[in-house]
Amino acid sequence: MKRSYDAIVIGTGQAGPPLAGRLAGSGMKVAIIERKLFGGTCVNTGCIPTKTMVASAYAARMARRAAEYGVNAGPVTVDMKQVKARKDDISGRSSTGVESWLKGMQNCTVYEGHARFAAPHQVTLGEDLLTADRIFINVGGRAVVPDMRGLDHVDFLTNSSMMRVDFLPRHLVIVGGSYIGLEFGQMFRRFGSEVTIVEMAPRLIHREDEDVSLAIHDILQAEGIRLRLNAKCIRAAKRDDGVAVSVDCTDGEPELQGSHLLLAVGRRPNTDDLGLEEAGVNQDPRGYIVVDDQLRTNVPGIWALGDCNGKGGFTHTAYNDFEIVAANLLDNDPRRVSDRITAYALYIDPPLGRAGLTETEVRNSGKRALIGTRPMTRVGRAVEKGETQGFIKILVDADSKQILGASILGTSGDEAIHTLLDVMYARAPYTVMQRAMHIHPTVSELLPTVLGELKPLASQLGASGT
Ligand SMILES: Cc1cc2nc3c(=O)[nH]c(=O)nc-3n(C[C@H](O)[C@H](O)[C@H](O)COP(=O)(O)OP(=O)(O)OC[C@H]3O[C@@H](n4cnc5c(N)ncnc54)[C@H](O)[C@@H]3O)c2cc1C
């Protein structure tokens, strides 16, 4: 059946539903299409379930450390069925919330099925043909399954199938030492699995500064996680009791024996089965939809938001994409992608909060810069909590006095980073924060102190002295 709308939204991730709400609220007749789970990756297989499980893993860790705090907790066991049930409940409520919100929305029709372009302003969905002058693509991404030898013959897990795990893997081998791999690795180690993380690069999360990466390496290793770096030509083979992963490393055993294999080697956009060619929408060589600073594709009346445009990769960037599109279309407010400052967190424990440029990026920029650092062992709140791993690092432009970037690896680092982020958005000089009176005892109270002890950034790489 052919139906026409003012706007079609494809995907119910982090940008689609709020955009549908704004468009429908402005009086437009809107269709929104979801092929699988309402709420998309973050709600069902990403942020919410993983952070719920990280919380269970933290509880297990603190229970084991209880005696350090004078608390007698007895032997600690983890019930994986309960861990999963708690995760399913929190994530399920969030997904149901999105679904019922959309289904109850005035001026909005929800379709369930796979959407595919038939022409620039036509989308097919089973027997239905939907047309609209405005189409918003919010199809997200999925785990990359690499072209790895032997993978055809072994069972493997991704972030999606990990959500069904309600048992304790005896030995979880994770291929990929970046954000997703590290979060799963630490949580399953804390649940009680043996964990080995295999990474091709010479260090973990190699996009971060070397000192950050090395500190995280030490944190994970201290918990008994085995790390195999510089792994080249990774191969998998089936074994009676699991999987063998050959790593061909320059040192260490050439083959690991695990019970389960998790692939965490990156994400790819869900654009390969969307009929973008029929619509004439340009993609880059990796399949990301090419958009301008206001998220318009090359085809007038078609926008792409969230992970599928390659401009973010986080829930907050997808939501910010919604805000940018809504502001431009409905509020006469010319917000742009280039207005935003890089910000994200890595949710190992302690977490890493990041804002703006890394130290390496500052050095490569050629700017005259200042740097301030402080280990968490010299942050009172961290000492009181018995969580002193990590450090604070802040970089400042020596000429403009604006904050260029920061990393806070440490307890509450994911929260404290926002103090710096907001000063960066305000484009205020760092001295504003240096003179601010922060609350004692917090991690944030030391940020003015770090800013009061800035030193010139030495010219050679990796010389921050943290
Ligand atoms: C394990 C993991 C942990 C993460 N943790 C964090 C975190 O802590 N913080 C953070 O900020 N980000 C995190 N992320 C990233 C975050 O989940 C994503 O950046 C975010 O969900 C992207 O939202 P989106 O709206 O672009 O797409 P998605 O949330 O992926 O939603 C896209 C939706 O479109 C639907 N769809 C796709 N194709 C079609 C089609 N043809 N027809 C109809 N529907 C379609 C999909 O079913 C899906 O529901 C994590 C990701 C993973 C995998």
Side-chain angles (χ1 to χ4, degrees):
M1 193 180 294
K2 189 171 171 185
R3 294 195 171 92
S4 73
Y5 291 90
D6 296 315
I8 298 171
V9 179
I10 307 175
T12 66
Q14 294 303 306
L19 184 62
R22 281 296 316 272
L23 297 170
S26 75
M28 286 189 208
K29 194 177 151 203
V30 177
I32 186 161
I33 310 167
E34 174 53 56
R35 71 175 176 189
K36 216 168 170 192
L37 298 170
F38 285 86
T41 308
C42 178
V43 166
N44 298 288
T45 60
C47 339
I48 293 180
T50 54
K51 269 79 253 184
T52 304
M53 291 165 79
V54 162
S56 292
Y58 182 72
R61 165 87 171 162
M62 293 314 275
R64 285 193 196 101
R65 290 187 60 201
E68 291 175 39
Y69 297 83
V71 176
N72 191 351
V76 177
T77 56
V78 176
D79 180 342
M80 288 304 293
K81 288 204 168 14
Q82 281 297 325
V83 169
K84 178 175 178 294
R86 177 175 182 273
K87 180 269 292 175
D88 287 346
D89 177 48
I90 292 172
S91 150
R93 270 189 280 143
S94 191
S95 180
T96 310
V98 175
E99 181 175 356
S100 43
W101 176 43
L102 288 171
K103 288 186 172 168
M105 194 179 278
Q106 252 193 342
N107 293 339
C108 181
T109 306
V110 175
Y111 288 88
E112 290 180 62
H114 181 95
R116 197 184 302 272
F117 280 94
H121 291 279
Q122 296 185 354
V123 171
T124 59
L125 178 94
E127 300 292 296
D128 292 319
L129 177 69
L130 314 185
T131 64
D133 286 344
R134 300 170 198 83
I135 299 185
F136 304 91
I137 308 170
N138 177 219
V139 291
R142 62 183 186 274
V144 166
V145 176
D147 188 15
M148 190 173 123
R149 274 168 58 196
L151 213 49
D152 293 348
H153 306 291
V154 300
D155 294 329
F156 61 84
L157 295 154
T158 64
N159 69 288
S160 299
S161 45
M162 280 303 280
M163 296 298 121
R164 295 192 288 276
V165 171
D166 64 353
F167 57 88
L168 191 66
R170 179 176 49 76
H171 183 174
L172 182 64
V173 178
I174 302 175
V175 176
S178 200
Y179 307 89
I180 292 173
L182 300 191
E183 289 182 10
F184 276 116
Q186 190 187 45
M187 80 172 81
F188 274 86
R189 180 69 193 135
R190 290 178 170 197
F191 293 149
S193 297
E194 271 185 68
V195 172
T196 304
I197 298 176
V198 177
E199 166 58 47
M200 287 173 74
R203 59 185 177 86
L204 299 173
I205 43 167
H206 54 95
R207 278 194 216 112
E208 301 299 337
D209 287 332
E210 194 171 355
D211 50 1
V212 172
S213 167
L214 292 178
I216 288 172
H217 183 116
D218 291 347
I219 289 167
L220 298 179
Q221 210 165 39
E223 291 191 31
I225 296 173
R226 272 173 264 165
L227 301 166
R228 298 300 306 270
L229 306 177
N230 279 313
K232 305 289 182 221
C233 314
I234 304 167
R235 294 189 302 275
K238 201 168 171 55
R239 292 286 181 269
D240 287 346
D241 57 348
V243 61
V245 179
S246 307
V247 288
D248 273 4
C249 293
T250 44
D251 53 24
E253 291 295 313
E255 188 177 277
L256 312 163
Q257 302 275 346
S259 59
H260 294 81
L261 173 65
L262 166 63
L263 300 177
V265 294
R267 310 275 302 161
R268 57 175 291 190
N270 289 326
T271 51
D272 47 335
D273 50 4
L274 196 55
L276 288 176
E277 304 73 23
E278 317 301 324
V281 171
N282 288 342
Q283 302 165 68
D284 74 10
R286 294 169 64 213
Y288 289 101
I289 298 172
V290 178
V291 289
D292 67 11
D293 212 15
Q294 291 170 325
L295 302 164
R296 294 173 293 209
T297 70
N298 61 305
V299 178
I302 303 184
W303 290 255
L305 303 86
D307 282 10
C308 68
N309 65 26
K311 289 200 173 280
F314 297 99
T315 281
H316 44 277
T317 49
Y319 190 81
N320 187 243
D321 282 359
F322 142 65
E323 293 179 318
I324 290 166
V325 170
N328 279 282
L329 268 180
L330 303 171
D331 304 333
N332 197 25
D333 177 359
R335 292 180 65 173
R336 289 168 192 277
V337 177
S338 52
D339 293 337
R340 69 187 178 211
I341 297 169
T342 302
Y344 55 87
L346 162 67
Y347 289 93
I348 56 162
D349 170 42
L352 168 69
R354 281 271 304 109
L357 302 180
T358 61
E359 180 183 337
T360 311
E361 286 166 341
V362 170
R363 289 176 185 283
N364 292 343
S365 74
K367 288 179 198 291
R368 261 183 3 105
L370 306 172
I371 186 167
T373 63
R374 189 175 192 91
M376 282 289 165
T377 48
R378 293 182 57 222
V379 173
R381 189 68 201 276
V383 174
E384 291 143 15
K385 290 170 81 177
E387 300 184 353
T388 53
Q389 292 165 312
F391 60 90
I392 299 169
K393 172 161 72 171
I394 309 176
L395 292 132
V396 167
D397 188 312
D399 299 311
S400 70
K401 308 245 178 302
Q402 289 187 8
I403 297 169
L404 295 171
S407 302
I408 306 182
L409 173 66
T411 184
S412 301
D414 54 330
E415 298 289 349
I417 196 76
H418 289 90
T419 321
L420 293 150
L421 187 60
D422 290 341
V423 173
M424 291 168 80
Y425 271 110
R427 300 191 190 287
Y430 77 86
T431 45
V432 170
M433 187 191 283
Q434 190 196 341
R435 289 159 185 238
M437 182 186 73
H438 283 186
I439 296 167
H440 173 76
T442 58
V443 173
S444 303
E445 78 175 318
L446 268 305
L447 299 178
T449 310
V450 174
L451 290 169
E453 297 169 350
L454 295 172
K455 295 188 176 67
L457 183 64
S459 56
Q460 71 276 26
L461 271 172
S464 68
T466 45

mmCIF file of all heavy atoms in Angstrom, residues 31-56:
data_model
loop_
_atom_site.group_PDB
_atom_site.id
_atom_site.type_symbol
_atom_site.label_atom_id
_atom_site.label_comp_id
_atom_site.label_asym_id
_atom_site.label_seq_id
_atom_site.Cartn_x
_atom_site.Cartn_y
_atom_site.Cartn_z
ATOM 1 N N ALA A 31 6.193 9.180 9.912
ATOM 2 C CA ALA A 31 6.294 7.714 10.026
ATOM 3 C C ALA A 31 7.671 7.401 10.587
ATOM 4 O O ALA A 31 8.668 8.004 10.178
ATOM 5 C CB ALA A 31 6.141 7.064 8.659
ATOM 6 N N ILE A 32 7.740 6.464 11.535
ATOM 7 C CA ILE A 32 9.046 6.019 12.048
ATOM 8 C C ILE A 32 9.094 4.497 11.916
ATOM 9 O O ILE A 32 8.105 3.814 12.182
ATOM 10 C CB ILE A 32 9.321 6.521 13.484
ATOM 11 C CG1 ILE A 32 10.756 6.160 13.905
ATOM 12 C CG2 ILE A 32 8.306 5.990 14.493
ATOM 13 C CD1 ILE A 32 11.281 6.980 15.088
ATOM 14 N N ILE A 33 10.248 4.006 11.462
ATOM 15 C CA ILE A 33 10.369 2.581 11.117
ATOM 16 C C ILE A 33 11.474 1.933 11.955
ATOM 17 O O ILE A 33 12.588 2.464 12.039
ATOM 18 C CB ILE A 33 10.725 2.408 9.618
ATOM 19 C CG1 ILE A 33 9.771 3.241 8.744
ATOM 20 C CG2 ILE A 33 10.677 0.936 9.221
ATOM 21 C CD1 ILE A 33 10.227 3.396 7.300
ATOM 22 N N GLU A 34 11.180 0.799 12.558
ATOM 23 C CA GLU A 34 12.190 0.045 13.318
ATOM 24 C C GLU A 34 12.138 -1.413 12.896
ATOM 25 O O GLU A 34 11.081 -2.022 12.868
ATOM 26 C CB GLU A 34 11.942 0.189 14.824
ATOM 27 C CG GLU A 34 12.851 -0.659 15.704
ATOM 28 C CD GLU A 34 14.343 -0.462 15.405
ATOM 29 O OE1 GLU A 34 14.829 0.674 15.463
ATOM 30 O OE2 GLU A 34 15.022 -1.471 15.087
ATOM 31 N N ARG A 35 13.323 -1.978 12.603
ATOM 32 C CA ARG A 35 13.331 -3.370 12.123
ATOM 33 C C ARG A 35 13.545 -4.373 13.243
ATOM 34 O O ARG A 35 13.351 -5.559 13.053
ATOM 35 C CB ARG A 35 14.404 -3.547 11.057
ATOM 36 C CG ARG A 35 15.816 -3.507 11.570
ATOM 37 C CD ARG A 35 16.800 -3.825 10.456
ATOM 38 N NE ARG A 35 18.169 -3.688 10.914
ATOM 39 C CZ ARG A 35 19.217 -3.744 10.119
ATOM 40 N NH1 ARG A 35 19.047 -3.905 8.826
ATOM 41 N NH2 ARG A 35 20.430 -3.627 10.601
ATOM 42 N N LYS A 36 13.994 -3.890 14.413
ATOM 43 C CA LYS A 36 14.337 -4.869 15.448
ATOM 44 C C LYS A 36 13.880 -4.393 16.818
ATOM 45 O O LYS A 36 12.713 -4.427 17.138
ATOM 46 C CB LYS A 36 15.850 -5.101 15.420
ATOM 47 C CG LYS A 36 16.241 -6.515 15.716
ATOM 48 C CD LYS A 36 17.714 -6.722 15.376
ATOM 49 C CE LYS A 36 18.206 -8.063 15.878
ATOM 50 N NZ LYS A 36 19.662 -8.109 15.805
ATOM 51 N N LEU A 37 14.829 -3.876 17.620
ATOM 52 C CA LEU A 37 14.502 -3.529 19.008
ATOM 53 C C LEU A 37 14.385 -2.019 19.165
ATOM 54 O O LEU A 37 15.301 -1.281 18.777
ATOM 55 C CB LEU A 37 15.589 -4.065 19.950
ATOM 56 C CG LEU A 37 15.747 -5.590 19.948
ATOM 57 C CD1 LEU A 37 17.003 -6.001 20.714
ATOM 58 C CD2 LEU A 37 14.512 -6.242 20.569
ATOM 59 N N PHE A 38 13.297 -1.580 19.745
ATOM 60 C CA PHE A 38 13.106 -0.136 19.946
ATOM 61 C C PHE A 38 14.186 0.391 20.893
ATOM 62 O O PHE A 38 14.488 -0.204 21.916
ATOM 63 C CB PHE A 38 11.706 0.135 20.503
ATOM 64 C CG PHE A 38 10.641 0.005 19.465
ATOM 65 C CD1 PHE A 38 10.069 -1.233 19.175
ATOM 66 C CD2 PHE A 38 10.240 1.111 18.722
ATOM 67 C CE1 PHE A 38 9.094 -1.361 18.193
ATOM 68 C CE2 PHE A 38 9.276 0.991 17.729
ATOM 69 C CZ PHE A 38 8.702 -0.253 17.463
ATOM 70 N N GLY A 39 14.747 1.529 20.502
ATOM 71 C CA GLY A 39 15.813 2.122 21.321
ATOM 72 C C GLY A 39 17.192 1.852 20.751
ATOM 73 O O GLY A 39 18.171 2.492 21.139
ATOM 74 N N GLY A 40 17.300 0.871 19.832
ATOM 75 C CA GLY A 40 18.573 0.647 19.137
ATOM 76 C C GLY A 40 19.680 0.105 20.028
ATOM 77 O O GLY A 40 19.440 -0.528 21.060
ATOM 78 N N THR A 41 20.908 0.379 19.615
ATOM 79 C CA THR A 41 22.099 -0.211 20.242
ATOM 80 C C THR A 41 22.244 0.191 21.707
ATOM 81 O O THR A 41 22.432 -0.653 22.579
ATOM 82 C CB THR A 41 23.362 0.243 19.471
ATOM 83 O OG1 THR A 41 23.180 -0.029 18.084
ATOM 84 C CG2 THR A 41 24.602 -0.466 19.974
ATOM 85 N N CYS A 42 22.201 1.484 21.983
ATOM 86 C CA CYS A 42 22.496 1.967 23.336
ATOM 87 C C CYS A 42 21.593 1.280 24.353
ATOM 88 O O CYS A 42 22.045 0.787 25.380
ATOM 89 C CB CYS A 42 22.312 3.486 23.390
ATOM 90 S SG CYS A 42 22.590 4.155 25.030
ATOM 91 N N VAL A 43 20.326 1.225 24.017
ATOM 92 C CA VAL A 43 19.336 0.713 24.970
ATOM 93 C C VAL A 43 19.396 -0.807 25.099
ATOM 94 O O VAL A 43 19.236 -1.351 26.195
ATOM 95 C CB VAL A 43 17.930 1.173 24.495
ATOM 96 C CG1 VAL A 43 16.830 0.430 25.204
ATOM 97 C CG2 VAL A 43 17.791 2.686 24.685
ATOM 98 N N ASN A 44 19.656 -1.511 23.987
ATOM 99 C CA ASN A 44 19.503 -2.969 23.996
ATOM 100 C C ASN A 44 20.805 -3.757 24.048
ATOM 101 O O ASN A 44 20.854 -4.822 24.661
ATOM 102 C CB ASN A 44 18.712 -3.401 22.756
ATOM 103 C CG ASN A 44 17.318 -2.800 22.755
ATOM 104 O OD1 ASN A 44 16.484 -3.212 23.543
ATOM 105 N ND2 ASN A 44 17.082 -1.798 21.911
ATOM 106 N N THR A 45 21.846 -3.262 23.379
ATOM 107 C CA THR A 45 23.091 -4.050 23.316
ATOM 108 C C THR A 45 24.334 -3.198 23.556
ATOM 109 O O THR A 45 25.451 -3.654 23.325
ATOM 110 C CB THR A 45 23.233 -4.732 21.925
ATOM 111 O OG1 THR A 45 23.252 -3.702 20.921
ATOM 112 C CG2 THR A 45 22.106 -5.703 21.654
ATOM 113 N N GLY A 46 24.152 -1.947 23.968
ATOM 114 C CA GLY A 46 25.296 -1.044 24.119
ATOM 115 C C GLY A 46 25.391 -0.462 25.517
ATOM 116 O O GLY A 46 25.504 -1.179 26.517
ATOM 117 N N CYS A 47 25.276 0.856 25.582
ATOM 118 C CA CYS A 47 25.542 1.577 26.833
ATOM 119 C C CYS A 47 24.780 1.050 28.044
ATOM 120 O O CYS A 47 25.388 0.747 29.077
ATOM 121 C CB CYS A 47 25.186 3.063 26.712
ATOM 122 S SG CYS A 47 25.111 3.721 25.063
ATOM 123 N N ILE A 48 23.457 0.987 27.932
ATOM 124 C CA ILE A 48 22.652 0.702 29.132
ATOM 125 C C ILE A 48 22.920 -0.705 29.676
ATOM 126 O O ILE A 48 23.265 -0.853 30.851
ATOM 127 C CB ILE A 48 21.142 0.955 28.872
ATOM 128 C CG1 ILE A 48 20.933 2.459 28.656
ATOM 129 C CG2 ILE A 48 20.275 0.421 30.008
ATOM 130 C CD1 ILE A 48 19.496 2.874 28.397
ATOM 131 N N PRO A 49 22.825 -1.758 28.838
ATOM 132 C CA PRO A 49 23.113 -3.076 29.419
ATOM 133 C C PRO A 49 24.553 -3.216 29.891
ATOM 134 O O PRO A 49 24.798 -3.827 30.943
ATOM 135 C CB PRO A 49 22.803 -4.045 28.274
ATOM 136 C CG PRO A 49 22.738 -3.224 27.036
ATOM 137 C CD PRO A 49 22.349 -1.853 27.451
ATOM 138 N N THR A 50 25.518 -2.653 29.151
ATOM 139 C CA THR A 50 26.907 -2.845 29.589
ATOM 140 C C THR A 50 27.181 -2.088 30.883
ATOM 141 O O THR A 50 27.837 -2.606 31.770
ATOM 142 C CB THR A 50 27.944 -2.437 28.508
ATOM 143 O OG1 THR A 50 27.700 -1.106 28.085
ATOM 144 C CG2 THR A 50 27.919 -3.380 27.326
ATOM 145 N N LYS A 51 26.646 -0.890 30.996
ATOM 146 C CA LYS A 51 26.911 -0.152 32.241
ATOM 147 C C LYS A 51 26.170 -0.774 33.430
ATOM 148 O O LYS A 51 26.618 -0.692 34.579
ATOM 149 C CB LYS A 51 26.552 1.320 32.089
ATOM 150 C CG LYS A 51 27.724 2.150 31.625
ATOM 151 C CD LYS A 51 28.029 2.067 30.156
ATOM 152 C CE LYS A 51 29.227 1.320 29.741
ATOM 153 N NZ LYS A 51 29.461 1.392 28.285
ATOM 154 N N THR A 52 25.054 -1.427 33.153
ATOM 155 C CA THR A 52 24.354 -2.160 34.210
ATOM 156 C C THR A 52 25.227 -3.331 34.668
ATOM 157 O O THR A 52 25.363 -3.586 35.870
ATOM 158 C CB THR A 52 22.999 -2.671 33.663
ATOM 159 O OG1 THR A 52 22.276 -1.551 33.169
ATOM 160 C CG2 THR A 52 22.180 -3.335 34.742
ATOM 161 N N MET A 53 25.840 -4.017 33.720
ATOM 162 C CA MET A 53 26.721 -5.145 34.061
ATOM 163 C C MET A 53 28.024 -4.653 34.707
ATOM 164 O O MET A 53 28.561 -5.306 35.605
ATOM 165 C CB MET A 53 27.023 -5.966 32.807
ATOM 166 C CG MET A 53 25.792 -6.711 32.298
ATOM 167 S SD MET A 53 26.017 -7.309 30.611
ATOM 168 C CE MET A 53 27.015 -8.761 30.885
ATOM 169 N N VAL A 54 28.529 -3.506 34.268
ATOM 170 C CA VAL A 54 29.713 -2.920 34.905
ATOM 171 C C VAL A 54 29.404 -2.656 36.388
ATOM 172 O O VAL A 54 30.250 -2.873 37.260
ATOM 173 C CB VAL A 54 30.137 -1.612 34.183
ATOM 174 C CG1 VAL A 54 31.050 -0.755 35.050
ATOM 175 C CG2 VAL A 54 30.814 -1.922 32.850
ATOM 176 N N ALA A 55 28.172 -2.260 36.672
ATOM 177 C CA ALA A 55 27.786 -1.999 38.069
ATOM 178 C C ALA A 55 27.801 -3.300 38.877
ATOM 179 O O ALA A 55 28.266 -3.328 40.026
ATOM 180 C CB ALA A 55 26.409 -1.347 38.123
ATOM 181 N N SER A 56 27.325 -4.402 38.275
ATOM 182 C CA SER A 56 27.381 -5.700 38.970
ATOM 183 C C SER A 56 28.838 -6.098 39.219
ATOM 184 O O SER A 56 29.184 -6.600 40.293
ATOM 185 C CB SER A 56 26.710 -6.796 38.132
ATOM 186 O OG SER A 56 25.327 -6.573 38.043
#
